[in-house]
Amino acid sequence: MALSQGRVKRYFKAFCKGFFVAVPVAVTFLDRVACVARVEGASMQPSLNPGGSQSSDVVLLNHWKVRNFEVQRGDIVSLVSPKNPEQKIIKRVIALEGDIVKTMGHKNRYVKVPRGHIWVEGDHHGHSFDSNSFGPVSLGLLHGHATHILWPPERWQKLESVLPPERLPIQSEEDCLHGSP
């Protein structure tokens, strides 16, 4: 009996030690490196949730990449909604700071993206609450870069950073630096 109680006590002690190490490591990983998120809604169709309301894609969000605001045109990013800080939204980066973008329904036909901001849009135009509604978004609102679809299994894939040709900026910062019109 005493031997059995000793084993239980050692097991419990080892479990507690492991638990108190594993939990902070897991929390730090999920907060700083990567996490998974379920995508809801139709704003990113057909890239995400192509089946509509019948299914929701689950994506891997890389926090590490956006920690230094390392985003490119075409990246799919998660960010805090500029209109509702309690909500996270997922959109495609269309333009970077210094770019001039032709808007779709924004109050201004053309917008120059200010320093420290990006222009984001959903892939399903007309069904997306995006920069065309709220304007350029501060880089400080970035939450993660969606890199892979993890669920459902038949949709496992790496998400490519592709910018639709019709959404290219009118003029980019690089064009200005290299002397292009």
Side-chain angles (χ1 to χ4, degrees), residues 45-63:
Q45 288 178 346
S47 300
L48 300 173
N49 292 349
S53 60
Q54 292 86 2
S55 67
S56 290
D57 287 344
V58 174
V59 296
L60 178 67
L61 294 176
N62 180 337
H63 297 298

Side-chain angles (χ1 to χ4, degrees), residues 37-45 47-49 59 61 66 71-83 87-95 118-137 141-147 159-164:
R38 195 172 108 224
V39 178
E40 298 175 353
S43 72
M44 285 301 295
Q45 288 178 346
S47 300
L48 300 173
N49 292 349
V59 296
L61 294 176
V66 299
V71 292
Q72 303 171 18
R73 289 176 205 88
D75 285 353
I76 297 175
V77 295
S78 166
L79 54 134
V80 175
S81 170
K83 295 295 183 190
Q87 181 184 25
K88 292 202 175 67
I89 58 177
I90 189 161
K91 304 293 174 199
R92 187 176 301 279
V93 176
I94 300 299
I118 56 176
W119 188 270
V120 296
E121 294 179 355
D123 287 356
H124 195 181
H125 305 296
H127 295 279
S128 179
F129 184 63
D130 54 29
S131 286
N132 287 295
S133 303
F134 45 71
V137 177
L141 295 178
L142 283 174
H143 173 254
H145 173 233
T147 59
L159 290 168
E160 300 298 329
S161 293
V162 178
L163 190 59

Side-chain angles (χ1 to χ4, degrees), residues 17-28:
K17 282 182 181 177
F19 180 81
F20 289 116
V21 169
V23 168
V25 168
V27 168
T28 300

